[in-house]
Amino acid sequence: MITTWFRRLFCILTGRPIADMPLGARGEKAAAQYLKRHGYRLVARNFRFGKGEIDLIMRSRDQKLVFIEVKTRGQATSEEGLMAVDQAKKRKLTQTALAFLKRHKLLGCPIRFDVVSVCYATPAADPEFTHITSAFEATGVDSMFS
């Protein structure tokens, strides 16, 4: 994990090509840029709570707070990335989102969970995006807002 963070920082500071960044970091950066072009505003990146992490938290045009899981794959189909969000991952994302909402006193805010699949046909290729809005409902938290 430290290595990934260091490599990302190194690319930014030295001006090395983003292609030198780890695949997951490249995908998250590309997904954030893609969503910004579609009217989303970045709120937080890589929010962690316990063992959970949310890749991107953004505001949609309709002012919903959107918790986004980014799945990046090289030489794979977008379906493979989307299928990687299983029930256990959904529960962890829900718990982490709840922690974010509580920490920032946003429990009354409308939310949704999206998944963005980022696929690179080759390491130097432009990414292809598949954005699933409202990919799943809050999972595994009996009383989401207590």
Side-chain angles (χ1 to χ4, degrees), residues 123-142:
D126 288 335
E128 293 181 23
F129 301 94
T130 302
H131 180 194
I132 305 297
T133 58
S134 300
F136 62 92
E137 295 292 321
T139 305
V141 179
D142 293 333

Side-chain angles (χ1 to χ4, degrees), residues 74-89:
Q75 301 177 341
T77 65
S78 61
E79 291 81 23
E80 289 178 47
L82 297 172
M83 290 185 333
V85 183
D86 59 11
Q87 280 303 112
K89 183 66 174 176

Side-chain angles (χ1 to χ4, degrees), residues 47-54 67 87-103 107 111 113 136-142 144:
F47 175 78
R48 294 179 187 274
F49 178 78
K51 294 182 180 179
E53 178 185 13
I54 297 176
F67 297 95
Q87 280 303 112
K89 183 66 174 176
K90 290 175 185 176
R91 274 192 304 278
K92 198 174 285 187
L93 289 167
T94 299
Q95 291 168 347
T96 307
L98 179 58
F100 180 88
L101 293 169
K102 285 182 176 180
R103 182 175 293 169
L107 288 174
I111 68 164
F113 293 91
F136 62 92
E137 295 292 321
T139 305
V141 179
D142 293 333
M144 176 79 174

Side-chain angles (χ1 to χ4, degrees), residues 29-79:
K29 182 178 174 94
Q33 292 170 341
Y34 170 82
L35 292 166
K36 284 179 184 176
R37 286 193 305 269
H38 287 86
Y40 290 73
R41 288 181 302 123
L42 184 64
V43 173
R45 184 179 241 148
N46 301 115
F47 175 78
R48 294 179 187 274
F49 178 78
K51 294 182 180 179
E53 178 185 13
I54 297 176
D55 298 324
L56 300 171
I57 303 172
M58 301 185 91
R59 282 257 183 216
S60 63
R61 286 184 181 172
D62 62 359
Q63 295 305 306
K64 283 188 180 175
L65 197 59
V66 184
F67 297 95
I68 303 163
E69 175 67 9
V70 179
K71 290 297 181 186
T72 307
R73 300 288 186 261
Q75 301 177 341
T77 65
S78 61
E79 291 81 23

